[in-house]
Amino acid sequence: MPASGRTAASSSERSPLSTPPGQTDGLLGPAAIRDLARQLGLRPTKSLGQNFLHDANTIRRIVRTAELDPDDVVLEVGPGLGSLTLGLLPVAAHVTAVEIDPRLAELLPRTVAGRAPGLAGRLTVVEADALRVRELPGPAPTALVANLPYNVAVPVLLHLLELLPTLRRGLVLVQAEVAERLAAAPGAPAYGVPSVKAAWYGEVRRSGSIGRRVFWPEPNVDSGLVALDRRPPPPGDRAATFAVVDAAFATRRKGLRAALARWAGGPAAAEARLRDAGIDPATRGEQLSVADFARLAATEPRP
Protein backbone atom coordinates (compact mmCIF):
# COMPACT_ATOMS: atom_id res chain seq x y z
CA MET A 1 0.00 0.00 0.00
CA PRO A 2 1.60 3.31 -1.00
CA ALA A 3 1.89 5.74 1.87
CA SER A 4 2.18 9.48 1.75
CA GLY A 5 3.71 11.48 4.56
CA ARG A 6 3.15 14.80 6.22
CA THR A 7 6.05 16.65 7.75
CA ALA A 8 6.14 18.74 10.88
CA ALA A 9 7.78 21.55 8.99
CA SER A 10 4.80 21.81 6.65
CA SER A 11 2.30 22.39 9.47
CA SER A 12 1.37 26.00 9.93
CA GLU A 13 -0.71 25.43 13.04
CA ARG A 14 0.76 26.06 16.45
CA SER A 15 1.26 22.99 18.62
CA PRO A 16 -1.36 22.62 21.33
CA LEU A 17 1.48 22.11 23.81
CA SER A 18 4.71 24.04 23.63
CA THR A 19 7.79 23.25 25.67
CA PRO A 20 7.41 24.52 29.25
CA PRO A 21 9.84 27.21 30.39
CA GLY A 22 13.03 25.72 31.77
CA GLN A 23 12.62 22.38 29.98
CA THR A 24 15.15 21.92 27.20
CA ASP A 25 14.38 18.51 25.72
CA GLY A 26 10.67 18.99 24.99
CA LEU A 27 9.75 15.52 26.26
CA LEU A 28 6.17 14.84 27.27
CA GLY A 29 5.37 14.15 30.91
CA PRO A 30 2.17 12.68 32.44
CA ALA A 31 0.38 16.03 32.60
CA ALA A 32 1.22 16.89 28.98
CA ILE A 33 0.09 13.45 27.79
CA ARG A 34 -3.27 13.80 29.50
CA ASP A 35 -3.66 17.38 28.25
CA LEU A 36 -3.09 16.30 24.66
CA ALA A 37 -5.52 13.42 25.03
CA ARG A 38 -8.18 15.75 26.46
CA GLN A 39 -7.77 18.19 23.58
CA LEU A 40 -8.27 15.34 21.13
CA GLY A 41 -11.14 13.83 23.08
CA LEU A 42 -9.02 10.69 22.99
CA ARG A 43 -9.79 7.61 25.02
CA PRO A 44 -7.02 5.04 24.48
CA THR A 45 -8.36 1.81 22.98
CA LYS A 46 -7.20 -1.76 23.54
CA SER A 47 -8.00 -2.61 19.93
CA LEU A 48 -5.25 -0.26 18.75
CA GLY A 49 -2.92 -1.19 21.61
CA GLN A 50 -2.78 2.41 22.83
CA ASN A 51 -0.65 2.65 25.97
CA PHE A 52 1.30 5.91 25.86
CA LEU A 53 4.75 6.32 27.42
CA HIS A 54 4.91 9.33 29.71
CA ASP A 55 8.14 8.91 31.69
CA ALA A 56 11.03 11.02 30.43
CA ASN A 57 13.69 8.83 32.03
CA THR A 58 12.28 5.76 30.29
CA ILE A 59 12.31 7.59 26.97
CA ARG A 60 15.95 8.57 27.48
CA ARG A 61 16.80 4.99 28.40
CA ILE A 62 15.16 3.60 25.27
CA VAL A 63 16.91 6.12 23.03
CA ARG A 64 20.25 5.41 24.71
CA THR A 65 19.78 1.64 24.40
CA ALA A 66 18.96 1.98 20.69
CA GLU A 67 22.55 3.17 20.08
CA LEU A 68 21.62 5.29 17.09
CA ASP A 69 24.13 6.98 14.82
CA PRO A 70 23.64 10.63 13.80
CA ASP A 71 22.97 9.54 10.21
CA ASP A 72 20.35 6.92 11.11
CA VAL A 73 16.87 7.16 9.63
CA VAL A 74 14.54 5.80 12.31
CA LEU A 75 11.25 4.08 11.64
CA GLU A 76 8.83 4.43 14.55
CA VAL A 77 5.55 2.50 14.58
CA GLY A 78 2.69 3.71 16.73
CA PRO A 79 4.15 7.05 17.85
CA GLY A 80 0.90 7.90 19.61
CA LEU A 81 1.12 11.32 21.26
CA GLY A 82 4.81 11.70 20.46
CA SER A 83 6.69 10.81 23.64
CA LEU A 84 9.29 8.58 22.01
CA THR A 85 9.33 10.63 18.81
CA LEU A 86 10.53 13.69 20.70
CA GLY A 87 13.31 11.62 22.24
CA LEU A 88 14.44 10.20 18.89
CA LEU A 89 14.53 13.40 16.83
CA PRO A 90 17.63 14.96 18.47
CA VAL A 91 19.80 11.88 17.90
CA ALA A 92 18.77 10.75 14.40
CA ALA A 93 18.96 12.26 10.94
CA HIS A 94 15.26 11.62 10.35
CA VAL A 95 12.26 9.89 11.93
CA THR A 96 9.48 8.34 9.87
CA ALA A 97 6.53 7.67 12.17
CA VAL A 98 3.73 5.33 11.04
CA GLU A 99 0.47 5.95 12.91
CA ILE A 100 -2.85 4.20 12.24
CA ASP A 101 -5.05 6.64 14.22
CA PRO A 102 -5.80 9.65 11.99
CA ARG A 103 -6.24 11.99 14.97
CA LEU A 104 -2.80 11.14 16.32
CA ALA A 105 -1.20 11.28 12.88
CA GLU A 106 -2.57 14.79 12.38
CA LEU A 107 -1.54 16.01 15.83
CA LEU A 108 2.04 14.69 15.94
CA PRO A 109 3.62 17.20 13.49
CA ARG A 110 2.03 20.07 15.41
CA THR A 111 3.26 18.70 18.74
CA VAL A 112 6.81 18.43 17.41
CA ALA A 113 6.62 21.89 15.84
CA GLY A 114 5.58 23.32 19.21
CA ARG A 115 7.93 21.43 21.51
CA ALA A 116 11.01 20.98 19.29
CA PRO A 117 10.68 23.49 16.43
CA GLY A 118 14.32 23.19 15.44
CA LEU A 119 13.86 19.48 14.76
CA ALA A 120 10.51 19.64 12.97
CA GLY A 121 12.08 19.15 9.55
CA ARG A 122 13.42 15.76 10.59
CA LEU A 123 9.96 14.22 11.00
CA THR A 124 7.66 12.57 8.49
CA VAL A 125 4.35 11.16 9.71
CA VAL A 126 2.64 8.44 7.69
CA GLU A 127 -1.00 7.70 8.41
CA ALA A 128 -1.22 3.99 7.75
CA ASP A 129 -1.58 0.51 9.22
CA ALA A 130 1.99 -0.75 9.64
CA LEU A 131 0.83 -4.27 8.73
CA ARG A 132 -0.38 -3.03 5.34
CA VAL A 133 2.42 -0.65 4.43
CA ARG A 134 4.25 -1.61 1.24
CA GLU A 135 6.47 1.45 0.82
CA LEU A 136 7.44 4.54 2.78
CA PRO A 137 8.17 8.10 1.65
CA GLY A 138 11.53 9.74 2.19
CA PRO A 139 14.90 8.21 2.99
CA ALA A 140 15.11 4.46 3.56
CA PRO A 141 14.93 3.56 7.28
CA THR A 142 18.08 2.12 8.85
CA ALA A 143 16.78 1.52 12.39
CA LEU A 144 13.44 0.50 13.89
CA VAL A 145 12.72 1.96 17.33
CA ALA A 146 9.15 1.62 18.54
CA ASN A 147 6.71 1.00 21.36
CA LEU A 148 4.82 -1.59 19.34
CA PRO A 149 1.09 -2.15 19.88
CA TYR A 150 1.09 -5.34 21.93
CA ASN A 151 -1.76 -7.04 20.07
CA VAL A 152 0.15 -7.02 16.74
CA ALA A 153 3.77 -6.68 17.83
CA VAL A 154 5.18 -9.87 16.30
CA PRO A 155 3.47 -9.65 12.88
CA VAL A 156 4.38 -5.95 12.59
CA LEU A 157 8.02 -6.63 13.43
CA LEU A 158 8.32 -9.52 10.97
CA HIS A 159 6.51 -7.62 8.22
CA LEU A 160 8.79 -4.60 8.51
CA LEU A 161 11.96 -6.68 8.63
CA GLU A 162 10.94 -8.44 5.43
CA LEU A 163 9.73 -5.26 3.72
CA LEU A 164 12.73 -3.09 4.59
CA PRO A 165 16.11 -4.78 4.11
CA THR A 166 17.77 -1.43 4.85
CA LEU A 167 16.88 -1.84 8.55
CA ARG A 168 20.23 -2.68 10.13
CA ARG A 169 19.06 -2.75 13.72
CA GLY A 170 15.94 -2.55 15.84
CA LEU A 171 14.83 -1.93 19.40
CA VAL A 172 11.19 -2.58 20.19
CA LEU A 173 9.16 -2.36 23.37
CA VAL A 174 6.71 -5.25 23.65
CA GLN A 175 4.83 -7.25 26.25
CA ALA A 176 7.31 -9.03 28.54
CA GLU A 177 6.08 -12.48 27.53
CA VAL A 178 6.50 -11.61 23.85
CA ALA A 179 9.98 -10.27 24.54
CA GLU A 180 10.91 -13.64 26.06
CA ARG A 181 9.57 -15.49 23.02
CA LEU A 182 11.32 -13.28 20.49
CA ALA A 183 14.71 -13.58 22.18
CA ALA A 184 14.51 -17.25 23.25
CA ALA A 185 17.21 -19.66 22.11
CA PRO A 186 16.59 -23.25 20.93
CA GLY A 187 15.70 -25.47 23.86
CA ALA A 188 14.39 -22.65 26.04
CA PRO A 189 10.80 -22.96 27.35
CA ALA A 190 9.73 -19.77 25.51
CA TYR A 191 11.28 -20.83 22.18
CA GLY A 192 8.73 -21.03 19.39
CA VAL A 193 7.53 -19.58 16.11
CA PRO A 194 8.34 -15.91 16.94
CA SER A 195 11.84 -16.91 18.09
CA VAL A 196 12.70 -18.76 14.89
CA LYS A 197 11.19 -16.24 12.50
CA ALA A 198 12.86 -13.27 14.19
CA ALA A 199 16.18 -15.15 14.11
CA TRP A 200 15.85 -15.43 10.33
CA TYR A 201 16.56 -11.69 10.13
CA GLY A 202 19.19 -11.25 12.79
CA GLU A 203 20.55 -11.76 16.27
CA VAL A 204 17.82 -11.08 18.82
CA ARG A 205 18.36 -10.37 22.53
CA ARG A 206 16.60 -8.95 25.56
CA SER A 207 17.68 -5.41 26.42
CA GLY A 208 15.90 -4.80 29.69
CA SER A 209 12.52 -4.63 31.39
CA ILE A 210 10.05 -1.75 31.61
CA GLY A 211 7.52 -1.38 34.43
CA ARG A 212 3.83 -0.65 34.06
CA ARG A 213 3.72 2.77 35.72
CA VAL A 214 5.48 4.57 32.86
CA PHE A 215 2.42 4.11 30.62
CA TRP A 216 -0.96 5.79 30.40
CA PRO A 217 -3.25 4.01 30.71
CA GLU A 218 -1.29 1.56 32.84
CA PRO A 219 -1.30 -1.89 31.17
CA ASN A 220 -1.98 -5.06 33.15
CA VAL A 221 1.27 -6.65 31.94
CA ASP A 222 4.95 -5.84 32.23
CA SER A 223 6.99 -4.87 29.19
CA GLY A 224 10.40 -5.67 27.79
CA LEU A 225 12.89 -4.26 25.32
CA VAL A 226 14.09 -6.48 22.49
CA ALA A 227 17.08 -5.60 20.31
CA LEU A 228 17.82 -7.03 16.89
CA ASP A 229 21.00 -6.71 14.83
CA ARG A 230 20.50 -7.62 11.18
CA ARG A 231 22.65 -10.37 9.71
CA PRO A 232 22.34 -12.35 6.47
CA PRO A 233 19.66 -15.07 6.67
CA PRO A 234 20.66 -18.74 6.46
CA PRO A 235 20.81 -20.31 3.00
CA GLY A 236 17.35 -21.21 1.80
CA ASP A 237 13.92 -19.84 1.02
CA ARG A 238 12.19 -17.76 3.67
CA ALA A 239 8.59 -18.69 2.82
CA ALA A 240 9.42 -22.41 2.66
CA THR A 241 11.33 -22.22 5.94
CA PHE A 242 8.51 -20.38 7.70
CA ALA A 243 6.03 -23.00 6.48
CA VAL A 244 8.09 -25.75 8.13
CA VAL A 245 8.36 -23.68 11.32
CA ASP A 246 4.59 -23.22 11.49
CA ALA A 247 4.04 -26.96 10.99
CA ALA A 248 6.67 -27.97 13.54
CA PHE A 249 5.17 -25.87 16.33
CA ALA A 250 1.51 -26.57 15.57
CA THR A 251 1.77 -29.64 17.81
CA ARG A 252 4.62 -28.88 20.20
CA ARG A 253 4.54 -32.14 22.14
CA LYS A 254 5.06 -34.34 19.10
CA GLY A 255 8.35 -35.38 17.60
CA LEU A 256 9.03 -33.89 14.19
CA ARG A 257 8.23 -37.13 12.32
CA ALA A 258 4.61 -36.82 13.48
CA ALA A 259 4.42 -33.02 13.63
CA LEU A 260 5.56 -32.63 10.01
CA ALA A 261 3.49 -35.45 8.55
CA ARG A 262 0.91 -33.16 6.94
CA TRP A 263 3.59 -30.78 5.66
CA ALA A 264 5.65 -33.58 4.12
CA GLY A 265 2.81 -35.78 2.89
CA GLY A 266 2.95 -38.43 5.57
CA PRO A 267 5.08 -39.62 8.49
CA ALA A 268 7.43 -41.67 6.29
CA ALA A 269 8.02 -38.72 3.95
CA ALA A 270 8.64 -36.46 6.93
CA GLU A 271 11.17 -38.91 8.36
CA ALA A 272 12.98 -39.16 5.04
CA ARG A 273 13.31 -35.40 4.70
CA LEU A 274 14.43 -35.06 8.30
CA ARG A 275 17.14 -37.63 7.75
CA ASP A 276 18.18 -35.88 4.53
CA ALA A 277 18.67 -32.73 6.61
CA GLY A 278 20.66 -34.61 9.26
CA ILE A 279 17.95 -34.23 11.90
CA ASP A 280 16.77 -37.00 14.23
CA PRO A 281 13.07 -37.64 13.40
CA ALA A 282 12.31 -37.94 17.15
CA THR A 283 13.56 -34.41 17.77
CA ARG A 284 11.00 -31.76 18.66
CA GLY A 285 10.76 -28.42 16.89
CA GLU A 286 11.91 -26.46 19.94
CA GLN A 287 15.36 -28.04 19.61
CA LEU A 288 16.05 -26.75 16.08
CA SER A 289 17.73 -23.49 15.12
CA VAL A 290 16.58 -21.34 12.23
CA ALA A 291 19.46 -22.77 10.15
CA ASP A 292 18.16 -26.29 10.88
CA PHE A 293 14.69 -25.35 9.70
CA ALA A 294 16.08 -23.73 6.55
CA ARG A 295 18.11 -26.85 5.77
CA LEU A 296 15.04 -29.04 6.29
CA ALA A 297 12.90 -26.83 4.06
CA ALA A 298 15.48 -27.16 1.28
CA THR A 299 15.28 -30.98 1.16
CA GLU A 300 13.57 -32.60 -1.78
CA PRO A 301 9.90 -33.64 -1.36
CA ARG A 302 9.25 -37.36 -1.25
CA PRO A 303 6.46 -39.11 -3.15
Side-chain angles (χ1 to χ4, degrees), residues 204-227:
V204 186
R205 64 188 182 279
R206 287 291 303 270
S207 288
S209 300
I210 302 291
R212 307 179 186 192
R213 294 184 177 180
V214 300
F215 296 94
W216 177 77
E218 186 175 313
N220 58 5
V221 295
D222 292 324
S223 305
L225 288 169
V226 176

Side-chain angles (χ1 to χ4, degrees), residues 6-293:
R6 54 170 74 92
T7 65
S10 66
S11 175
S12 59
E13 297 182 56
R14 187 179 182 276
S15 169
L17 283 179
S18 57
T19 305
Q23 183 179 336
T24 59
D25 57 14
L27 297 180
L28 297 168
I33 287 288
R34 286 173 171 78
D35 191 13
L36 280 170
R38 279 195 300 269
Q39 292 185 45
L40 283 180
L42 175 68
R43 292 187 177 182
T45 66
K46 289 185 178 180
S47 63
L48 295 180
Q50 291 176 329
N51 297 94
F52 303 120
L53 281 165
H54 62 63
D55 182 71
N57 287 330
T58 300
I59 297 298
R60 296 184 189 105
R61 175 186 167 196
I62 293 171
V63 173
R64 184 171 62 251
T65 304
E67 297 181 342
L68 298 171
D69 296 328
D71 59 349
D72 269 322
V73 176
V74 176
L75 172 61
E76 184 187 4
V77 175
L81 292 165
S83 303
L84 181 56
T85 313
L86 287 162
L88 292 168
L89 286 169
V91 299
H94 197 84
V95 174
T96 300
V98 178
E99 174 57 57
I100 191 172
D101 189 321
R103 296 168 300 173
L104 296 174
E106 181 180 3
L107 177 64
L108 183 56
R110 290 187 279 130
T111 301
V112 170
R115 298 185 74 90
L119 303 175
R122 298 186 185 184
L123 174 68
T124 298
V125 180
V126 177
E127 182 188 324
D129 181 347
L131 276 172
R132 298 178 180 273
V133 165
R134 292 293 177 266
E135 60 181 353
L136 292 170
T142 59
L144 170 66
V145 185
N147 172 25
L148 291 178
Y150 288 176
N151 52 343
V152 291
V154 172
V156 165
L157 176 63
L158 296 177
H159 170 64
L160 294 174
L161 288 170
E162 179 60 24
L163 177 71
L164 302 167
T166 57
L167 288 173
R168 301 194 307 267
R169 67 174 73 88
L171 182 72
V172 294
L173 180 58
V174 296
Q175 184 177 337
E177 182 181 353
V178 174
E180 288 291 339
R181 291 176 181 174
L182 284 169
Y191 188 70
V193 172
S195 323
V196 184
K197 291 184 177 180
W200 175 270
Y201 298 100
E203 179 185 349
V204 186
R205 64 188 182 279
R206 287 291 303 270
S207 288
S209 300
I210 302 291
R212 307 179 186 192
R213 294 184 177 180
V214 300
F215 296 94
W216 177 77
E218 186 175 313
N220 58 5
V221 295
D222 292 324
S223 305
L225 288 169
V226 176
L228 182 142
D229 292 314
R230 174 87 74 162
R231 55 166 165 68
D237 179 77
R238 180 194 62 83
T241 300
F242 283 14
V244 183
V245 172
D246 289 335
F249 286 98
T251 51
R252 290 180 65 99
R253 296 186 179 183
K254 292 184 178 180
L256 286 172
R257 184 182 189 275
L260 297 179
R262 179 175 295 183
W263 166 78
E271 179 172 346
R273 294 187 70 171
L274 284 160
R275 294 195 183 280
D276 287 347
I279 299 169
D280 184 344
T283 302
R284 293 182 178 180
E286 45 264 49
Q287 302 299 320
L288 300 189
S289 69
V290 65
D292 295 329
F293 280 110

